[in-house]
Short mmCIF file of all heavy atoms in Angstrom, two decimals:
data_model
loop_
_atom_site.label_atom_id
_atom_site.label_comp_id
_atom_site.label_asym_id
_atom_site.label_seq_id
_atom_site.Cartn_x
_atom_site.Cartn_y
_atom_site.Cartn_z
N MET A 16 -6.87 -27.66 -6.04
CA MET A 16 -7.29 -26.67 -7.05
C MET A 16 -6.19 -25.63 -7.21
O MET A 16 -5.70 -25.14 -6.23
CB MET A 16 -8.68 -25.98 -6.56
CG MET A 16 -9.20 -25.14 -7.63
SD MET A 16 -10.91 -24.68 -7.16
CE MET A 16 -10.96 -23.14 -8.04
N VAL A 17 -5.87 -25.40 -8.41
CA VAL A 17 -4.82 -24.33 -8.72
C VAL A 17 -5.44 -22.99 -8.75
O VAL A 17 -6.48 -22.69 -9.47
CB VAL A 17 -4.11 -24.69 -10.09
CG1 VAL A 17 -3.09 -23.62 -10.42
CG2 VAL A 17 -3.53 -26.07 -10.05
N LYS A 18 -4.84 -22.08 -8.01
CA LYS A 18 -5.26 -20.68 -7.93
C LYS A 18 -4.64 -19.94 -9.13
O LYS A 18 -3.45 -19.96 -9.29
CB LYS A 18 -4.88 -20.04 -6.62
CG LYS A 18 -5.47 -18.73 -6.37
CD LYS A 18 -5.24 -18.18 -5.01
CE LYS A 18 -5.85 -16.90 -4.84
NZ LYS A 18 -5.65 -16.35 -3.47
N LYS A 19 -5.50 -19.24 -9.94
CA LYS A 19 -5.00 -18.46 -11.06
C LYS A 19 -4.43 -17.13 -10.59
O LYS A 19 -5.09 -16.50 -9.82
CB LYS A 19 -6.07 -18.29 -12.03
CG LYS A 19 -5.71 -17.84 -13.42
CD LYS A 19 -6.90 -17.84 -14.35
CE LYS A 19 -6.33 -17.56 -15.75
NZ LYS A 19 -7.41 -17.57 -16.72
N ARG A 20 -3.34 -16.71 -11.03
CA ARG A 20 -2.72 -15.40 -10.76
C ARG A 20 -3.48 -14.32 -11.41
O ARG A 20 -3.86 -14.34 -12.52
CB ARG A 20 -1.27 -15.34 -11.20
CG ARG A 20 -0.36 -16.13 -10.39
CD ARG A 20 1.01 -15.88 -10.83
NE ARG A 20 1.92 -17.03 -10.68
CZ ARG A 20 3.13 -17.12 -10.90
NH1 ARG A 20 3.74 -16.06 -11.47
NH2 ARG A 20 3.84 -18.21 -10.75
N LYS A 21 -3.61 -13.17 -10.68
CA LYS A 21 -4.21 -11.96 -11.23
C LYS A 21 -3.25 -11.26 -12.09
O LYS A 21 -2.06 -11.12 -11.64
CB LYS A 21 -4.76 -11.07 -10.04
CG LYS A 21 -5.07 -9.66 -10.51
CD LYS A 21 -6.48 -9.34 -10.26
CE LYS A 21 -6.82 -7.89 -10.46
NZ LYS A 21 -6.87 -7.42 -11.83
N LYS A 22 -3.59 -10.79 -13.15
CA LYS A 22 -2.71 -10.04 -14.03
C LYS A 22 -3.17 -8.58 -13.86
O LYS A 22 -4.30 -8.22 -14.19
CB LYS A 22 -2.81 -10.44 -15.49
CG LYS A 22 -1.92 -9.62 -16.43
CD LYS A 22 -1.75 -10.33 -17.71
CE LYS A 22 -1.01 -9.55 -18.74
NZ LYS A 22 0.20 -8.85 -18.39
N TYR A 23 -2.27 -7.75 -13.29
CA TYR A 23 -2.59 -6.33 -13.03
C TYR A 23 -2.28 -5.49 -14.28
O TYR A 23 -1.17 -5.61 -14.88
CB TYR A 23 -1.80 -5.81 -11.82
CG TYR A 23 -2.27 -6.46 -10.59
CD1 TYR A 23 -1.71 -7.56 -9.98
CD2 TYR A 23 -3.33 -5.90 -9.81
CE1 TYR A 23 -2.22 -8.13 -8.84
CE2 TYR A 23 -3.85 -6.44 -8.72
CZ TYR A 23 -3.23 -7.58 -8.22
OH TYR A 23 -3.70 -8.11 -7.04
N SER A 24 -3.17 -4.59 -14.63
CA SER A 24 -2.93 -3.64 -15.67
C SER A 24 -1.90 -2.54 -15.27
O SER A 24 -1.63 -2.45 -14.08
CB SER A 24 -4.21 -2.95 -16.04
OG SER A 24 -4.62 -2.07 -15.04
N SER A 25 -1.36 -1.84 -16.24
CA SER A 25 -0.46 -0.71 -15.85
C SER A 25 -1.12 0.26 -14.96
O SER A 25 -0.44 0.72 -14.04
CB SER A 25 0.01 -0.04 -17.19
OG SER A 25 0.69 -0.93 -18.00
N ARG A 26 -2.37 0.51 -15.16
CA ARG A 26 -3.05 1.58 -14.31
C ARG A 26 -3.18 0.99 -12.92
O ARG A 26 -3.03 1.77 -12.01
CB ARG A 26 -4.41 1.88 -14.90
CG ARG A 26 -4.37 2.68 -16.21
CD ARG A 26 -5.80 3.14 -16.57
NE ARG A 26 -5.69 3.80 -17.86
CZ ARG A 26 -5.53 5.08 -18.03
NH1 ARG A 26 -5.31 5.84 -16.99
NH2 ARG A 26 -5.53 5.65 -19.23
N GLU A 27 -3.52 -0.22 -12.77
CA GLU A 27 -3.54 -0.82 -11.44
C GLU A 27 -2.27 -0.81 -10.72
O GLU A 27 -2.23 -0.52 -9.45
CB GLU A 27 -4.12 -2.28 -11.54
CG GLU A 27 -5.58 -2.30 -11.93
CD GLU A 27 -6.03 -3.78 -12.25
OE1 GLU A 27 -5.26 -4.57 -12.96
OE2 GLU A 27 -7.08 -4.13 -11.76
N LYS A 28 -1.21 -1.08 -11.44
CA LYS A 28 0.12 -1.09 -10.83
C LYS A 28 0.46 0.28 -10.35
O LYS A 28 0.99 0.51 -9.24
CB LYS A 28 1.21 -1.57 -11.81
CG LYS A 28 1.14 -3.01 -12.24
CD LYS A 28 2.07 -3.38 -13.26
CE LYS A 28 1.91 -4.82 -13.76
NZ LYS A 28 2.81 -5.11 -14.91
N VAL A 29 0.14 1.32 -11.12
CA VAL A 29 0.41 2.73 -10.74
C VAL A 29 -0.43 3.11 -9.51
O VAL A 29 0.16 3.80 -8.57
CB VAL A 29 0.16 3.69 -11.87
CG1 VAL A 29 0.18 5.16 -11.41
CG2 VAL A 29 1.14 3.49 -13.09
N VAL A 30 -1.63 2.70 -9.44
CA VAL A 30 -2.48 2.95 -8.28
C VAL A 30 -1.79 2.33 -6.96
O VAL A 30 -1.69 3.01 -5.96
CB VAL A 30 -3.93 2.39 -8.43
CG1 VAL A 30 -4.66 2.41 -7.13
CG2 VAL A 30 -4.67 3.31 -9.50
N ILE A 31 -1.35 1.18 -7.15
CA ILE A 31 -0.73 0.39 -5.94
C ILE A 31 0.60 1.16 -5.58
O ILE A 31 0.80 1.36 -4.43
CB ILE A 31 -0.48 -1.06 -6.30
CG1 ILE A 31 -1.80 -1.74 -6.53
CG2 ILE A 31 0.42 -1.71 -5.21
CD1 ILE A 31 -1.71 -3.20 -7.16
N LEU A 32 1.39 1.46 -6.56
CA LEU A 32 2.66 2.17 -6.30
C LEU A 32 2.35 3.56 -5.62
O LEU A 32 3.08 4.03 -4.74
CB LEU A 32 3.52 2.29 -7.54
CG LEU A 32 4.06 1.03 -8.18
CD1 LEU A 32 4.64 1.27 -9.48
CD2 LEU A 32 5.07 0.44 -7.20
N LYS A 33 1.35 4.27 -6.14
CA LYS A 33 1.01 5.54 -5.57
C LYS A 33 0.59 5.49 -4.12
O LYS A 33 0.96 6.35 -3.37
CB LYS A 33 -0.12 6.17 -6.47
CG LYS A 33 -0.52 7.59 -5.94
CD LYS A 33 -1.61 8.12 -6.79
CE LYS A 33 -2.10 9.47 -6.24
NZ LYS A 33 -3.27 9.90 -6.92
N ARG A 34 -0.14 4.43 -3.86
CA ARG A 34 -0.50 4.26 -2.42
C ARG A 34 0.69 4.14 -1.56
O ARG A 34 0.62 4.66 -0.40
CB ARG A 34 -1.39 3.08 -2.25
CG ARG A 34 -2.80 3.25 -2.85
CD ARG A 34 -3.81 2.25 -2.46
NE ARG A 34 -3.91 2.02 -1.06
CZ ARG A 34 -4.33 0.85 -0.54
NH1 ARG A 34 -4.75 -0.14 -1.27
NH2 ARG A 34 -4.36 0.72 0.74
N HIS A 35 1.69 3.56 -1.97
CA HIS A 35 2.97 3.43 -1.21
C HIS A 35 3.76 4.75 -1.16
O HIS A 35 4.09 5.27 -0.11
CB HIS A 35 3.83 2.32 -1.77
CG HIS A 35 5.23 2.27 -1.09
ND1 HIS A 35 5.39 2.01 0.21
CD2 HIS A 35 6.38 2.52 -1.62
CE1 HIS A 35 6.69 1.99 0.49
NE2 HIS A 35 7.34 2.32 -0.64
N LEU A 36 3.93 5.35 -2.33
CA LEU A 36 4.77 6.53 -2.49
C LEU A 36 4.10 7.84 -1.93
O LEU A 36 4.81 8.68 -1.34
CB LEU A 36 5.19 6.73 -3.90
CG LEU A 36 6.03 5.63 -4.48
CD1 LEU A 36 6.16 5.78 -6.03
CD2 LEU A 36 7.45 5.58 -3.85
N VAL A 37 2.82 7.95 -2.14
CA VAL A 37 2.14 9.18 -1.78
C VAL A 37 1.43 9.02 -0.38
O VAL A 37 1.55 9.85 0.47
CB VAL A 37 1.20 9.65 -2.89
CG1 VAL A 37 0.40 10.81 -2.49
CG2 VAL A 37 1.95 9.94 -4.18
N GLU A 38 0.66 7.97 -0.31
CA GLU A 38 -0.14 7.72 0.86
C GLU A 38 0.61 7.03 2.03
O GLU A 38 0.06 6.85 3.12
CB GLU A 38 -1.41 6.98 0.49
CG GLU A 38 -2.21 7.72 -0.58
CD GLU A 38 -3.40 6.88 -1.14
OE1 GLU A 38 -3.84 5.90 -0.49
OE2 GLU A 38 -3.94 7.25 -2.16
N LYS A 39 1.80 6.66 1.71
CA LYS A 39 2.68 5.99 2.68
C LYS A 39 2.20 4.62 3.21
O LYS A 39 2.49 4.29 4.38
CB LYS A 39 2.93 6.88 3.87
CG LYS A 39 3.54 8.29 3.50
CD LYS A 39 4.78 8.18 2.88
CE LYS A 39 5.39 9.56 2.60
NZ LYS A 39 6.31 9.67 1.51
N ALA A 40 1.38 3.89 2.46
CA ALA A 40 0.97 2.52 2.84
C ALA A 40 2.21 1.70 2.73
O ALA A 40 3.11 1.83 1.93
CB ALA A 40 -0.04 2.09 1.80
N THR A 41 2.29 0.80 3.75
CA THR A 41 3.52 -0.05 3.80
C THR A 41 3.44 -1.17 2.64
O THR A 41 2.42 -1.51 2.21
CB THR A 41 3.59 -0.85 5.11
OG1 THR A 41 2.54 -1.71 5.29
CG2 THR A 41 3.63 0.13 6.27
N VAL A 42 4.63 -1.54 2.27
CA VAL A 42 4.78 -2.54 1.19
C VAL A 42 4.04 -3.83 1.61
O VAL A 42 3.33 -4.50 0.87
CB VAL A 42 6.25 -2.76 0.75
CG1 VAL A 42 6.30 -3.94 -0.19
CG2 VAL A 42 6.81 -1.57 0.20
N SER A 43 4.34 -4.23 2.87
CA SER A 43 3.71 -5.49 3.37
C SER A 43 2.17 -5.44 3.35
O SER A 43 1.53 -6.43 3.02
CB SER A 43 4.26 -5.83 4.76
OG SER A 43 3.99 -4.84 5.71
N ASP A 44 1.61 -4.30 3.77
CA ASP A 44 0.14 -4.16 3.72
C ASP A 44 -0.40 -4.20 2.34
O ASP A 44 -1.46 -4.95 2.05
CB ASP A 44 -0.28 -2.80 4.39
CG ASP A 44 -0.10 -2.84 5.90
OD1 ASP A 44 -0.01 -3.93 6.42
OD2 ASP A 44 -0.24 -1.74 6.49
N LEU A 45 0.28 -3.58 1.45
CA LEU A 45 -0.15 -3.62 0.04
C LEU A 45 -0.06 -5.00 -0.59
O LEU A 45 -0.99 -5.48 -1.28
CB LEU A 45 0.65 -2.55 -0.84
CG LEU A 45 0.37 -1.09 -0.55
CD1 LEU A 45 1.33 -0.23 -1.20
CD2 LEU A 45 -0.98 -0.72 -0.98
N CYS A 46 1.00 -5.65 -0.30
CA CYS A 46 1.26 -7.03 -0.85
C CYS A 46 0.16 -7.96 -0.28
O CYS A 46 -0.38 -8.83 -1.02
CB CYS A 46 2.64 -7.49 -0.50
SG CYS A 46 3.83 -6.68 -1.46
N ASP A 47 -0.22 -7.85 0.99
CA ASP A 47 -1.20 -8.65 1.59
C ASP A 47 -2.57 -8.35 0.98
O ASP A 47 -3.35 -9.24 0.59
CB ASP A 47 -1.33 -8.43 3.08
CG ASP A 47 -0.18 -9.02 3.92
OD1 ASP A 47 0.51 -9.88 3.32
OD2 ASP A 47 0.03 -8.64 5.03
N GLU A 48 -2.85 -7.03 0.78
CA GLU A 48 -4.15 -6.72 0.28
C GLU A 48 -4.31 -7.14 -1.19
O GLU A 48 -5.47 -7.53 -1.61
CB GLU A 48 -4.28 -5.13 0.34
CG GLU A 48 -5.54 -4.60 -0.18
CD GLU A 48 -5.62 -3.11 -0.04
OE1 GLU A 48 -4.98 -2.46 0.76
OE2 GLU A 48 -6.49 -2.48 -0.80
N TYR A 49 -3.27 -6.97 -2.03
CA TYR A 49 -3.44 -7.29 -3.43
C TYR A 49 -2.95 -8.74 -3.82
O TYR A 49 -3.01 -9.19 -4.96
CB TYR A 49 -2.66 -6.30 -4.25
CG TYR A 49 -3.39 -4.92 -4.23
CD1 TYR A 49 -2.92 -3.98 -3.38
CD2 TYR A 49 -4.46 -4.68 -5.09
CE1 TYR A 49 -3.61 -2.69 -3.29
CE2 TYR A 49 -5.11 -3.41 -5.02
CZ TYR A 49 -4.63 -2.47 -4.11
OH TYR A 49 -5.24 -1.23 -4.05
N GLY A 50 -2.41 -9.42 -2.76
CA GLY A 50 -1.97 -10.80 -3.04
C GLY A 50 -0.80 -10.93 -3.92
O GLY A 50 -0.72 -11.75 -4.75
N ILE A 51 0.14 -9.96 -3.73
CA ILE A 51 1.36 -10.01 -4.53
C ILE A 51 2.60 -10.21 -3.65
O ILE A 51 2.55 -9.87 -2.44
CB ILE A 51 1.58 -8.73 -5.42
CG1 ILE A 51 1.60 -7.42 -4.52
CG2 ILE A 51 0.52 -8.61 -6.44
CD1 ILE A 51 1.87 -6.24 -5.20
N HIS A 52 3.65 -10.71 -4.21
CA HIS A 52 4.95 -10.91 -3.39
C HIS A 52 5.67 -9.57 -3.44
O HIS A 52 5.65 -8.89 -4.46
CB HIS A 52 5.77 -12.05 -4.12
CG HIS A 52 6.81 -12.50 -3.28
ND1 HIS A 52 8.01 -11.93 -3.15
CD2 HIS A 52 6.82 -13.67 -2.43
CE1 HIS A 52 8.80 -12.59 -2.34
NE2 HIS A 52 8.10 -13.70 -1.82
N PRO A 53 6.34 -9.26 -2.28
CA PRO A 53 7.16 -8.04 -2.32
C PRO A 53 8.15 -7.88 -3.49
O PRO A 53 8.39 -6.77 -3.94
CB PRO A 53 7.89 -8.18 -0.97
CG PRO A 53 7.02 -8.99 -0.10
CD PRO A 53 6.43 -10.02 -1.07
N THR A 54 8.68 -9.03 -3.96
CA THR A 54 9.57 -8.97 -5.12
C THR A 54 8.88 -8.41 -6.29
O THR A 54 9.51 -7.59 -7.02
CB THR A 54 10.12 -10.41 -5.38
OG1 THR A 54 10.75 -10.90 -4.15
CG2 THR A 54 11.12 -10.36 -6.52
N VAL A 55 7.64 -8.75 -6.46
CA VAL A 55 6.88 -8.28 -7.60
C VAL A 55 6.60 -6.76 -7.41
O VAL A 55 6.82 -5.99 -8.32
CB VAL A 55 5.51 -9.02 -7.67
CG1 VAL A 55 4.58 -8.32 -8.72
CG2 VAL A 55 5.72 -10.51 -8.03
N PHE A 56 6.29 -6.34 -6.24
CA PHE A 56 6.09 -4.96 -5.93
C PHE A 56 7.33 -4.09 -6.28
O PHE A 56 7.25 -3.08 -6.99
CB PHE A 56 5.73 -4.66 -4.49
CG PHE A 56 5.61 -3.26 -4.15
CD1 PHE A 56 4.38 -2.55 -4.27
CD2 PHE A 56 6.64 -2.52 -3.68
CE1 PHE A 56 4.24 -1.22 -4.00
CE2 PHE A 56 6.60 -1.18 -3.45
CZ PHE A 56 5.35 -0.49 -3.53
N TYR A 57 8.44 -4.55 -5.81
CA TYR A 57 9.72 -3.82 -6.06
C TYR A 57 10.15 -3.88 -7.53
O TYR A 57 10.79 -2.90 -8.00
CB TYR A 57 10.84 -4.35 -5.15
CG TYR A 57 10.61 -3.90 -3.72
CD1 TYR A 57 10.40 -4.85 -2.71
CD2 TYR A 57 10.65 -2.60 -3.33
CE1 TYR A 57 10.11 -4.49 -1.38
CE2 TYR A 57 10.47 -2.15 -2.01
CZ TYR A 57 10.28 -3.12 -1.06
OH TYR A 57 9.93 -2.81 0.25
N ARG A 58 9.80 -4.87 -8.29
CA ARG A 58 10.06 -4.95 -9.67
C ARG A 58 9.24 -3.89 -10.39
O ARG A 58 9.71 -3.22 -11.26
CB ARG A 58 9.81 -6.34 -10.24
CG ARG A 58 10.22 -6.49 -11.72
CD ARG A 58 10.01 -7.79 -12.26
NE ARG A 58 8.61 -8.21 -12.30
CZ ARG A 58 8.04 -9.25 -11.73
NH1 ARG A 58 8.78 -10.17 -11.07
NH2 ARG A 58 6.81 -9.52 -11.75
N TRP A 59 7.91 -3.83 -9.97
CA TRP A 59 7.04 -2.77 -10.57
C TRP A 59 7.61 -1.38 -10.31
O TRP A 59 7.64 -0.53 -11.23
CB TRP A 59 5.69 -2.86 -10.01
CG TRP A 59 4.85 -4.03 -10.42
CD1 TRP A 59 5.17 -4.99 -11.28
CD2 TRP A 59 3.56 -4.38 -9.81
NE1 TRP A 59 4.13 -5.95 -11.35
CE2 TRP A 59 3.18 -5.58 -10.46
CE3 TRP A 59 2.73 -3.85 -8.81
CZ2 TRP A 59 1.98 -6.19 -10.18
CZ3 TRP A 59 1.56 -4.48 -8.47
CH2 TRP A 59 1.18 -5.63 -9.21
N GLN A 60 8.12 -1.22 -9.03
CA GLN A 60 8.61 0.14 -8.68
C GLN A 60 9.83 0.49 -9.53
O GLN A 60 9.97 1.65 -9.94
CB GLN A 60 8.93 0.13 -7.18
CG GLN A 60 9.41 1.48 -6.73
CD GLN A 60 9.51 1.47 -5.15
OE1 GLN A 60 8.66 1.85 -4.52
NE2 GLN A 60 10.70 1.02 -4.66
N LYS A 61 10.77 -0.44 -9.68
CA LYS A 61 11.97 -0.16 -10.54
C LYS A 61 11.66 0.15 -11.94
O LYS A 61 12.21 1.09 -12.45
CB LYS A 61 12.84 -1.49 -10.42
CG LYS A 61 14.11 -1.37 -11.19
CD LYS A 61 14.91 -2.74 -11.04
CE LYS A 61 16.26 -2.65 -11.72
NZ LYS A 61 16.17 -3.23 -13.09
N GLU A 62 10.60 -0.64 -12.41
CA GLU A 62 10.26 -0.45 -13.87
C GLU A 62 9.54 0.99 -13.95
O GLU A 62 9.75 1.68 -14.91
CB GLU A 62 9.32 -1.58 -14.27
CG GLU A 62 8.91 -1.52 -15.70
CD GLU A 62 8.04 -2.79 -16.09
OE1 GLU A 62 8.11 -3.78 -15.38
OE2 GLU A 62 7.27 -2.61 -17.05
N PHE A 63 8.81 1.27 -12.96
CA PHE A 63 8.07 2.58 -12.98
C PHE A 63 9.07 3.72 -13.05
O PHE A 63 8.94 4.68 -13.90
CB PHE A 63 7.26 2.74 -11.75
CG PHE A 63 6.40 3.97 -11.67
CD1 PHE A 63 5.37 4.21 -12.38
CD2 PHE A 63 6.91 4.95 -10.66
CE1 PHE A 63 4.63 5.38 -12.21
CE2 PHE A 63 6.16 6.12 -10.56
CZ PHE A 63 5.02 6.34 -11.33
N PHE A 64 10.09 3.72 -12.22
CA PHE A 64 11.05 4.80 -12.26
C PHE A 64 11.96 4.79 -13.50
O PHE A 64 12.32 5.82 -13.97
CB PHE A 64 11.94 4.81 -10.98
CG PHE A 64 11.16 5.27 -9.75
CD1 PHE A 64 10.85 4.40 -8.71
CD2 PHE A 64 10.82 6.60 -9.68
CE1 PHE A 64 10.18 4.92 -7.59
CE2 PHE A 64 10.15 7.10 -8.60
CZ PHE A 64 9.81 6.26 -7.58
N GLU A 65 12.33 3.63 -13.96
CA GLU A 65 13.12 3.53 -15.18
C GLU A 65 12.36 4.08 -16.42
O GLU A 65 12.84 4.87 -17.19
CB GLU A 65 13.58 2.11 -15.49
CG GLU A 65 14.59 1.63 -14.55
CD GLU A 65 14.96 0.18 -14.69
OE1 GLU A 65 14.21 -0.54 -15.42
OE2 GLU A 65 15.92 -0.32 -14.07
N LYS A 66 11.16 3.71 -16.53
CA LYS A 66 10.32 4.16 -17.69
C LYS A 66 9.77 5.59 -17.52
O LYS A 66 9.51 6.24 -18.46
CB LYS A 66 9.19 3.17 -17.96
CG LYS A 66 9.75 1.87 -18.43
CD LYS A 66 8.69 0.86 -18.84
CE LYS A 66 9.22 -0.39 -19.35
NZ LYS A 66 8.23 -1.32 -19.79
N GLY A 67 9.59 5.97 -16.19
CA GLY A 67 9.12 7.35 -15.96
C GLY A 67 10.06 8.41 -16.47
O GLY A 67 9.63 9.43 -16.91
N ALA A 68 11.32 8.14 -16.35
CA ALA A 68 12.30 9.03 -16.89
C ALA A 68 12.19 9.29 -18.33
O ALA A 68 12.31 10.38 -18.84
CB ALA A 68 13.78 8.56 -16.54
N ASN A 69 11.87 8.19 -19.05
CA ASN A 69 11.59 8.33 -20.50
C ASN A 69 10.39 9.21 -20.80
O ASN A 69 10.43 9.93 -21.78
CB ASN A 69 11.44 6.95 -21.13
CG ASN A 69 12.71 6.16 -21.15
OD1 ASN A 69 13.82 6.72 -21.10
ND2 ASN A 69 12.60 4.82 -21.23
N ALA A 70 9.34 9.07 -19.99
CA ALA A 70 8.15 9.83 -20.21
C ALA A 70 8.44 11.37 -20.04
O ALA A 70 7.88 12.14 -20.76
CB ALA A 70 7.07 9.41 -19.25
N LEU A 71 9.30 11.69 -19.14
CA LEU A 71 9.60 13.12 -18.89
C LEU A 71 10.59 13.63 -19.88
O LEU A 71 10.64 14.82 -20.14
CB LEU A 71 10.23 13.28 -17.43
CG LEU A 71 9.22 13.00 -16.32
CD1 LEU A 71 9.96 13.06 -15.03
CD2 LEU A 71 8.05 13.90 -16.40
N GLU A 72 11.30 12.82 -20.51
CA GLU A 72 12.26 13.25 -21.65
C GLU A 72 11.49 13.99 -22.66
O GLU A 72 11.92 14.98 -23.14
CB GLU A 72 12.99 12.08 -22.22
CG GLU A 72 14.09 11.51 -21.33
CD GLU A 72 15.29 12.43 -21.26
OE1 GLU A 72 15.66 13.04 -22.29
OE2 GLU A 72 15.86 12.61 -20.15
N GLY A 73 10.36 13.51 -23.13
CA GLY A 73 9.53 14.05 -24.22
C GLY A 73 8.99 15.34 -23.85
O GLY A 73 8.92 16.27 -24.68
N SER A 74 8.53 15.49 -22.57
CA SER A 74 7.96 16.79 -22.16
C SER A 74 8.96 17.87 -22.16
O SER A 74 8.60 19.03 -22.37
CB SER A 74 7.33 16.60 -20.76
OG SER A 74 8.24 16.41 -19.78
N ARG A 75 10.15 17.64 -21.87
CA ARG A 75 11.20 18.64 -21.88
C ARG A 75 11.39 19.21 -23.26
O ARG A 75 11.56 20.46 -23.47
CB ARG A 75 12.46 18.15 -21.32
CG ARG A 75 13.52 19.21 -21.10
CD ARG A 75 14.82 18.81 -20.55
NE ARG A 75 14.62 17.68 -19.62
CZ ARG A 75 15.51 16.68 -19.49
NH1 ARG A 75 16.66 16.69 -20.20
NH2 ARG A 75 15.35 15.71 -18.63
N ASP A 76 11.37 18.40 -24.32
CA ASP A 76 11.53 18.87 -25.67
C ASP A 76 10.42 19.75 -26.14
O ASP A 76 10.60 20.74 -26.74
CB ASP A 76 11.66 17.68 -26.64
CG ASP A 76 12.88 16.82 -26.43
OD1 ASP A 76 13.87 17.32 -25.78
OD2 ASP A 76 12.92 15.63 -26.77
N THR A 77 9.19 19.42 -25.65
CA THR A 77 8.03 20.26 -26.01
C THR A 77 8.17 21.65 -25.44
O THR A 77 7.81 22.61 -26.06
CB THR A 77 6.72 19.55 -25.42
OG1 THR A 77 6.69 18.22 -25.94
CG2 THR A 77 5.55 20.33 -25.77
N HIS A 78 8.60 21.73 -24.19
CA HIS A 78 8.73 23.10 -23.60
C HIS A 78 9.82 23.95 -24.27
O HIS A 78 9.65 25.03 -24.45
CB HIS A 78 8.99 22.97 -22.06
CG HIS A 78 7.82 22.52 -21.29
ND1 HIS A 78 7.50 21.22 -21.18
CD2 HIS A 78 6.87 23.20 -20.67
CE1 HIS A 78 6.42 21.07 -20.46
NE2 HIS A 78 6.00 22.34 -20.15
N SER A 79 10.95 23.41 -24.62
CA SER A 79 12.07 24.10 -25.20
C SER A 79 11.62 24.52 -26.56
O SER A 79 12.03 25.67 -27.00
CB SER A 79 13.30 23.29 -25.21
OG SER A 79 13.23 22.14 -25.98
N ALA A 80 10.91 23.77 -27.29
CA ALA A 80 10.53 24.16 -28.67
C ALA A 80 9.50 25.33 -28.53
O ALA A 80 9.44 26.21 -29.50
CB ALA A 80 9.85 22.97 -29.41
N SER A 81 8.63 25.35 -27.56
CA SER A 81 7.67 26.43 -27.49
C SER A 81 8.22 27.77 -27.07
O SER A 81 7.65 28.81 -27.26
CB SER A 81 6.52 26.05 -26.45
OG SER A 81 7.06 25.92 -25.19
N ARG A 82 9.49 27.77 -26.58
CA ARG A 82 10.16 28.98 -26.17
C ARG A 82 10.77 29.68 -27.31
O ARG A 82 11.22 30.84 -27.23
CB ARG A 82 11.19 28.71 -25.02
CG ARG A 82 10.63 28.38 -23.75
CD ARG A 82 11.74 28.26 -22.75
NE ARG A 82 11.41 27.17 -21.82
CZ ARG A 82 12.23 26.57 -21.05
NH1 ARG A 82 13.45 26.96 -20.96
NH2 ARG A 82 11.83 25.63 -20.29
N LEU A 83 10.96 28.96 -28.35
CA LEU A 83 11.77 29.54 -29.57
C LEU A 83 10.95 30.52 -30.37
O LEU A 83 9.82 30.68 -30.42
CB LEU A 83 12.26 28.40 -30.46
CG LEU A 83 13.25 27.42 -29.91
CD1 LEU A 83 13.55 26.37 -30.89
CD2 LEU A 83 14.52 28.21 -29.57
#
């Protein structure tokens, strides 16, 4: 029988990453718990930081405009 892969939502990925970054859960424990490969975890983390910078770019513009 073929096991179907779970597709994690963006919110689920952030929860998993937060557990590592904030709560200091080990990558190996998280991968075992969620049934993901460490390569997948690190790809999510890379994408999170790359796209997170874009999210903060917009907030800086809002603050500078409100000071004028």
Side-chain angles (χ1 to χ4, degrees):
M16 188 171 153
V17 177
K18 188 174 182 180
K19 195 172 186 182
R20 290 187 207 179
K21 165 119 171 74
K22 181 165 172 46
Y23 290 93
S24 69
S25 297
R26 290 186 186 273
E27 289 171 315
K28 292 175 186 178
V29 169
V30 167
I31 294 168
L32 292 170
K33 181 180 174 188
R34 287 191 54 203
H35 172 66
L36 297 168
V37 176
E38 300 171 16
K39 306 298 185 204
T41 65
V42 173
S43 59
D44 286 345
L45 291 170
C46 289
D47 289 344
E48 182 178 340
Y49 291 96
I51 59 174
H52 194 276
T54 304
V55 172
F56 176 90
Y57 288 114
R58 185 176 66 234
W59 291 352
Q60 184 174 264
K61 180 179 182 265
E62 188 176 334
F63 179 77
F64 284 113
E65 287 173 351
K66 292 185 178 180
N69 291 336
L71 295 175
E72 285 289 322
S74 66
R75 189 177 327 146
D76 294 339
T77 304
H78 286 85
S79 62
S81 64
R82 288 186 218 165
L83 297 176

